Amino acid sequence: METKQIKNVLKAPAPHMVGDGFRVHNFFPGGYEIDMSPFFLLDYGSKIEFSARKKPRGVGVHPHRGFETVTIAYHGAVAHHDSSGNSGVIYPGDVQWMTAAGGVLHKEYHEENYSLTGGPFQMVQLWVNLPAANKMCRPKYQTIKQADMAHFDLPENKGKIEIIAGNYNGIKGNATTFTPIELYNARLNKGGEATFNFPENFNTGFMVIEGSVKVNGSENIAADNFIYFENKGEEIKLEALENSVILILSGEPINEPIVQYGPFLMNTEAEIRQAIEDYNQGRFGYLEE
């Protein structure tokens, strides 16, 4: 099987704040112009210490339409509420998969007890585009707790692959998706090795969350870097140079036009204008600040 080679190793862009609770490095679409469809956005919250505080930091009520937000917790805890009546808290290892689709209001804050104590905080948020046929579907919400997450144990205690979505070694992930998506957390102990196989045309990238890894037996990559792969070949080999966590993203591209305006991700400018009108007319529901 042909190796899928590295196209580029991308360093973390300068961080910016989202609200007062999320310091993120936007790898794409802002930081680098790369094609990672169906993944439209990757905000990486590298590890930071937040001080204790009574009033939780976060982001107030805001709308989304036309895509899904996927939040993956590594350190800290986040509470979510939305106008469809969904709410929940994710802790380290957990995943929150919100399908905004036809339109939802939501807010995200540091969970109350975490806020009172403070401590390390590290998250990833992805925006996953939806095909035109599904952009106006009913919103839904999936919470995937680490304790319930499908996983594959590597031999000789070398770590495990947590399958958020897709299929690894015959084990299917918990999340349901609208298009073919492979999304895993590879938690490798020092010396642990894992092999991944993705179709040539799938856009593929690895975010090194912790530790450092050797890719395809040649290039060493440290934490806080994004590894962007060629659309040639299928096989990628990883070796952990120390205890490491790597977020694995691969998906079939959605070959449709995209028009983005703030929190709306649609196919045409007319659909963006409709989204703005619907939001202004209160058609996204109601959510208390």
Side-chain angles (χ1 to χ4, degrees), residues 57-122:
R57 300 172 176 90
V59 182
V61 175
H62 59 284
H64 287 306
R65 172 178 281 181
F67 63 99
E68 304 178 286
T69 65
V70 181
T71 307
I72 305 165
Y74 296 98
H75 294 278
V78 170
H80 160 93
H81 297 269
D82 69 39
S83 57
S84 291
N86 297 305
S87 63
V89 177
I90 56 171
Y91 298 96
D94 298 342
V95 176
Q96 169 199 288
W97 196 302
M98 184 187 78
T99 304
V104 75
L105 303 177
H106 83 142
K107 58 183 179 180
E108 300 164 285
Y109 287 93
H110 294 182
E111 185 271 334
E112 192 172 345
N113 289 327
Y114 166 77
S115 189
L116 288 171
T117 60
F121 194 87
Q122 187 179 24

Side-chain angles (χ1 to χ4, degrees), residues 19-260:
D20 65 357
F22 303 95
R23 188 197 69 170
V24 301
H25 310 265
N26 179 246
F27 275 88
F28 57 86
Y32 297 95
E33 292 183 3
I34 61 174
D35 185 4
M36 276 297 296
S37 176
F39 307 101
F40 178 79
L41 174 146
L42 169 58
D43 271 347
Y44 169 57
S46 59
K47 195 182 294 183
I48 184 175
E49 290 280 334
F50 279 108
S51 58
R53 180 170 160 172
K54 284 186 178 180
K55 183 182 178 183
R57 300 172 176 90
V59 182
V61 175
H62 59 284
H64 287 306
R65 172 178 281 181
F67 63 99
E68 304 178 286
T69 65
V70 181
T71 307
I72 305 165
Y74 296 98
H75 294 278
V78 170
H80 160 93
H81 297 269
D82 69 39
S83 57
S84 291
N86 297 305
S87 63
V89 177
I90 56 171
Y91 298 96
D94 298 342
V95 176
Q96 169 199 288
W97 196 302
M98 184 187 78
T99 304
V104 75
L105 303 177
H106 83 142
K107 58 183 179 180
E108 300 164 285
Y109 287 93
H110 294 182
E111 185 271 334
E112 192 172 345
N113 289 327
Y114 166 77
S115 189
L116 288 171
T117 60
F121 194 87
Q122 187 179 24
M123 301 266 166
V124 165
Q125 186 169 92
L126 302 167
W127 287 14
V128 179
N129 190 22
L130 290 172
N134 303 113
K135 281 191 177 293
M136 293 299 291
C137 285
R138 288 176 62 86
K140 69 174 184 175
Y141 182 76
Q142 303 173 78
T143 300
I144 307 167
K145 295 293 186 182
Q146 186 180 37
D148 304 323
M149 197 174 289
H151 65 276
F152 175 83
D153 291 316
L154 297 168
E156 300 175 6
N157 195 32
K158 292 298 186 180
K160 64 179 178 178
I161 310 299
E162 295 176 343
I163 306 126
I164 301 166
N167 188 304
Y168 183 82
N169 269 18
I171 298 175
K172 192 175 185 307
N174 302 59
T176 60
T177 65
F178 288 84
T179 60
I181 287 173
E182 305 294 326
L183 186 63
Y184 323 138
N185 270 321
R187 299 182 183 272
L188 306 181
N189 298 326
K190 183 177 180 180
E193 297 179 352
T195 300
F196 303 89
N197 292 286
F198 304 118
E200 274 201 354
N201 70 311
F202 276 35
N203 292 321
T204 302
F206 291 3
M207 183 74 232
V208 185
I209 305 293
E210 290 183 17
S212 57
V213 295
K214 180 176 285 189
V215 181
N216 294 331
S218 58
E219 194 159 354
N220 295 353
I221 315 291
D224 300 341
N225 286 281
F226 185 81
I227 311 164
Y228 182 45
F229 289 91
E230 298 273 4
N231 288 106
K232 297 176 183 175
E234 297 177 341
E235 185 175 88
I236 302 168
K237 291 186 176 180
L238 268 189
E239 178 190 348
L241 303 174
E242 55 191 305
N243 292 350
S244 300
V245 179
I246 310 95
L247 178 63
I248 312 293
L249 299 87
S250 190
E252 184 176 64
I254 299 172
N255 294 315
E256 296 175 352
I258 290 178
V259 180
Q260 182 209 1

